[in-house]
Amino acid sequence: MTSHRSHWHILGAGAIGSLWASYAVKHDLPTTLLLRSDERLSQFKMAGGILATLAGSAELLPLAAESCEQNGPPIARLLLTTKAPDSSSAVASISPRLASGACVVLLQNGLGVREELLKLRPDLQCYHAVTTEGAFRPAPFQVVHAGRGRTLLGGGSNDKALARELSVGPLVVTPDPNIEQALWRKLIINCAINPLTALYRCRNGELLDNPQALQQLHGVIDEALCLAPHLQLGDVFDGLREQVLDVVANTALNRSSMLQDIESGRRSEIDYITGYLCRVAEQHGIAIPINRQLLEQLKALPGQ
Ligand SMILES: NC(=O)c1ccc[n+]([C@@H]2O[C@H](COP(=O)([O-])OP(=O)(O)OC[C@H]3O[C@@H](n4cnc5c(N)ncnc54)[C@H](OP(=O)(O)O)[C@@H]3O)[C@@H](O)[C@H]2O)c1
């Protein structure tokens, strides 16, 4: 049945990109990983593919891969799994290969990348996906599927077909005609948890034991709730505070990706999380000083 399935390219061979690529190859979805350079491609070939631990045991999967530095066949379907700040430069590097009107599914945290891509290539059909799957990369070209979750996809007229194509094995993708709401909920949850864990260098659950951090966490949510009526997203923020506290409790031992980025001096996704919220608030003339202060504090850290 493979002949009926579209070919997907995956840009961003980190934890999430390798996770999708690994299940894709095991479930006959034709897929090619796009690596940033010829050098990365030779390292990938030396490694023999992706060492994937999907259900406890590790197996080496010899996936197809190409370099962004080389020309190749046109790309009609792109799953974008780079971190938000790397996305537009990564897409620019393969732009000559992207077919006119290509479908690009943004599978990332944060908001604002879609706007950047459409400035670069107004013809692209951009979709958003929001996932609670958990994966990490113990070393280059290795991936561990650490937590099962769910994935929603929407943003255009073809979301049902794209969701079906990207559902591989246990990675179930559900079309969501209200993806904007899911994106905003995830954005606010990220705004409430990630910058504070990075600032206080703590695990998610430790925010509840730190009175100052907890006060700021509630402040971030209060400000998001003030912005809510201006966003015309319906009742999307109902129960948000409870949901944020649930996420903190359920992920108490996790070290957020923003904390990990800050600790290793990598650029974090703050501009696409708190930064995005601050830009939207400014457009609506709403002051959100707690979020703005967090943005400034995070941006002042080394590597940001
Ligand atoms: N990991 C999770 O469990 C999880 C869950 C939900 C959402 N997310 C979101 O998913 C997104 C990806 O996260 P991740 O954990 O997979 O990050 P990651 O492991 O850091 O992977 C990002 C990948 O992008 C690649 N990349 C960066 N710039 C590139 C370029 N110009 N050309 C080609 N490739 C490039 C990197 O390549 P190099 O290896 O060459 O540096 C890296 O392999 C983020 O927005 C994250 O917040 C992650």
Side-chain angles (χ1 to χ4, degrees):
M1 300 299 280
T2 28
S3 56
H4 299 298
R5 304 188 78 171
S6 309
H7 192 119
W8 281 84
H9 283 78
I10 299 183
L11 180 55
I16 284 290
S18 301
L19 181 74
W20 245 270
S22 298
Y23 280 115
V25 75
K26 287 173 76 69
H27 294 273
D28 299 327
L29 176 68
T31 307
T32 303
L33 279 173
L34 292 166
L35 304 177
R36 68 164 76 232
S37 62
D38 294 349
E39 191 189 349
R40 270 280 192 281
L41 183 60
S42 11
Q43 291 164 353
F44 177 85
K45 287 182 176 161
M46 292 276 285
I50 298 282
L51 186 67
T53 305
L54 302 179
S57 56
E59 63 182 309
L60 187 62
L61 299 171
L63 303 170
E66 293 167 355
S67 159
C68 294
E69 288 175 343
Q70 299 293 324
N71 209 343
I75 297 170
R77 297 257 198 280
L78 182 72
L79 181 63
L80 182 62
T81 53
T82 48
K83 286 195 164 169
D86 299 321
S87 296
S88 34
S89 58
V91 171
S93 75
I94 53 145
S95 183
R97 289 188 57 190
L98 274 175
S100 174
C103 283
V104 181
V105 174
L106 315 182
L107 179 46
Q108 313 171 301
N109 276 338
L111 283 168
V113 170
R114 183 175 189 275
E115 291 83 340
E116 290 179 2
L117 296 191
L118 289 176
K119 262 191 210 149
L120 188 73
R121 283 284 302 262
D123 60 299
L124 296 177
Q125 294 179 55
C126 290
Y127 291 77
H128 276 292
V130 183
T131 190
T132 54
E133 297 289 347
F136 67 92
R137 179 167 64 149
F141 314 126
Q142 295 188 13
V143 65
V144 176
H145 192 186
R148 296 276 287 271
R150 60 184 204 131
T151 305
L152 302 173
L153 184 152
S157 57
N158 208 16
D159 48 6
K160 284 198 184 82
L162 298 180
R164 197 167 48 242
E165 289 174 24
L166 287 172
S167 290
V168 278
L171 305 180
V172 176
V173 184
T174 309
D176 182 355
N178 300 315
I179 194 73
E180 193 87 350
Q181 302 197 348
L183 287 166
W184 269 95
R185 279 186 92 83
K186 180 93 189 267
L187 183 84
I188 304 302
I189 292 167
N190 283 335
C191 284
I193 299 173
N194 297 11
L196 289 168
T197 57
L199 195 61
Y200 291 102
R201 309 284 165 121
C202 68
R203 291 178 191 271
N204 292 0
E206 289 169 325
L207 294 175
L208 301 176
D209 306 325
N210 175 338
Q212 192 180 349
L214 191 57
Q215 191 182 12
Q216 286 171 289
L217 180 143
H218 283 292
V220 168
I221 300 168
D222 290 339
E223 290 182 354
L225 291 173
C226 284
L227 189 56
H230 300 267
L231 298 176
Q232 296 174 334
L233 290 170
D235 55 4
V236 60
F237 291 161
D238 284 3
L240 186 66
R241 193 180 306 276
E242 293 71 23
Q243 196 180 357
V244 170
L245 293 172
D246 278 353
V247 172
V248 173
N250 293 335
T251 60
L253 296 178
N254 287 13
R255 297 170 76 254
S256 74
S257 58
M258 197 173 286
L259 169 62
Q260 294 178 45
D261 286 339
I262 296 287
E263 282 188 340
S264 51
R266 285 189 303 261
R267 192 173 162 200
S268 78
E269 296 186 298
I270 188 75
D271 278 330
Y272 297 82
I273 294 178
T274 309
Y276 187 84
L277 189 74
C278 289
R279 289 195 291 282
V280 171
E282 202 172 303
Q283 282 159 15
H284 290 280
I286 310 284
I288 53 169
I290 297 170
N291 281 286
R292 182 153 294 283
Q293 190 187 13
L294 282 173
L295 177 63
E296 284 163 12
Q297 285 175 304
L298 266 284
K299 297 281 288 175
L301 294 175
Q304 307 308 302

